[in-house]
Amino acid sequence: MDSIQYLLKGAENLWNNYVRHEFVIKMKEGTLPLDVFRYYLIQDAKYVEDMLKAVLLASSKGPIDIVTKILQAIFYSRDKGLETNKKLYSKLGITIDEIRKTGYNLVNYAYTRHLYYYANIGWNEFLVAWAPCMLGYSIIGDFVVETSHEIYKLWATFYSSQEYKRRVDAIVEALNNVNINENILNIFITSIRFEIGFWDSALRKEPTVY
């Protein structure tokens, strides 16, 4: 069994709760309120900035060939991701200044510190902590892209794209070189819990704290 299959099997129920969360279902149905999605996008922008910093930090600890392949896949699709976000921000009246001035909600703050922590511990630990976000959004993108809602379809086009799947494929390939043990599985599970919490906090539009 590949490492990624082992991890997904070990977290099966939580994983399903994450990739088919109420937030995701409502995007697919087109019933998610736009103010909730707008809140999510701002928090996600803050998450992505910290996540990329953590990737670069962890990369200094990983095998050069594997790290290079992942970074190339990320930068290859960067323009497409930025273009999608630019369109979404325009449609929802989000500015870069607003993103910078908005604080983190508690889940987002804790999740990004979780990534920084494992980026400092080691490459394998970070890779496992990062994987639920990257793999999960590919699965979610494939699901939501079938929606008839213009905004949510636009969002999903990036995560269901071949460019994004190149990132995921590189990460999964790297993960399959990781020896799985209980500690590694627990890191993976914790990140899934953070992903679920991220959806929950967006639905509630929780106050920012940092």
Side-chain angles (χ1 to χ4, degrees), residues 42 45-46 49 95-104 210:
I42 292 173
K46 301 184 78 66
E49 183 176 355
T95 65
I96 299 302
D97 189 54
E98 181 183 8
I99 293 170
R100 287 173 179 159
K101 289 180 177 178
T102 301
Y104 296 79
Y210 289 98

Side-chain angles (χ1 to χ4, degrees), residues 89-156:
Y89 295 167
S90 176
K91 289 178 181 294
L92 296 172
I94 297 172
T95 65
I96 299 302
D97 189 54
E98 181 183 8
I99 293 170
R100 287 173 179 159
K101 289 180 177 178
T102 301
Y104 296 79
N105 68 35
L106 190 60
V107 171
N108 196 8
Y109 184 81
Y111 191 6
T112 50
R113 298 323 99 173
H114 166 78
L115 293 180
Y116 279 129
Y117 175 78
Y118 284 110
N120 279 289
I121 294 295
W123 170 250
N124 286 348
E125 289 82 358
F126 172 77
L127 194 62
V128 172
W130 183 35
C133 170
M134 303 302 288
L135 176 57
Y137 269 55
S138 178
I139 293 168
I140 291 165
D142 287 343
F143 178 70
V144 175
V145 78
E146 299 299 327
T147 183
S148 60
H149 194 286
E150 176 192 7
I151 296 290
Y152 304 142
K153 180 180 284 290
L154 174 59
W155 176 86

Side-chain angles (χ1 to χ4, degrees), residues 56-194:
L56 294 176
L57 177 62
S59 294
S60 65
K61 302 174 177 63
I64 188 66
D65 55 333
I66 292 174
V67 167
T68 299
K69 187 171 184 177
I70 290 174
L71 293 179
Q72 285 177 338
I74 289 173
F75 288 113
Y76 176 80
S77 60
R78 183 173 181 269
D79 287 347
K80 185 177 182 67
L82 291 173
E83 179 185 353
T84 300
N85 281 339
K86 184 177 180 180
K87 290 178 181 177
L88 288 170
Y89 295 167
S90 176
K91 289 178 181 294
L92 296 172
I94 297 172
T95 65
I96 299 302
D97 189 54
E98 181 183 8
I99 293 170
R100 287 173 179 159
K101 289 180 177 178
T102 301
Y104 296 79
N105 68 35
L106 190 60
V107 171
N108 196 8
Y109 184 81
Y111 191 6
T112 50
R113 298 323 99 173
H114 166 78
L115 293 180
Y116 279 129
Y117 175 78
Y118 284 110
N120 279 289
I121 294 295
W123 170 250
N124 286 348
E125 289 82 358
F126 172 77
L127 194 62
V128 172
W130 183 35
C133 170
M134 303 302 288
L135 176 57
Y137 269 55
S138 178
I139 293 168
I140 291 165
D142 287 343
F143 178 70
V144 175
V145 78
E146 299 299 327
T147 183
S148 60
H149 194 286
E150 176 192 7
I151 296 290
Y152 304 142
K153 180 180 284 290
L154 174 59
W155 176 86
T157 55
F158 174 60
Y159 295 108
S160 62
S161 69
Q162 289 304 309
E163 291 92 338
Y164 187 80
K165 292 185 189 307
R166 279 186 61 177
R167 297 185 183 188
V168 175
D169 289 345
I171 291 166
V172 168
E173 182 181 350
L175 267 177
N176 285 329
N177 292 315
V178 176
N179 292 323
I180 305 303
N181 54 40
E182 186 175 355
N183 179 57
I184 290 293
L185 177 59
N186 285 337
I187 294 170
F188 188 77
I189 287 172
T190 299
S191 288
I192 298 172
R193 293 186 187 279
F194 274 124

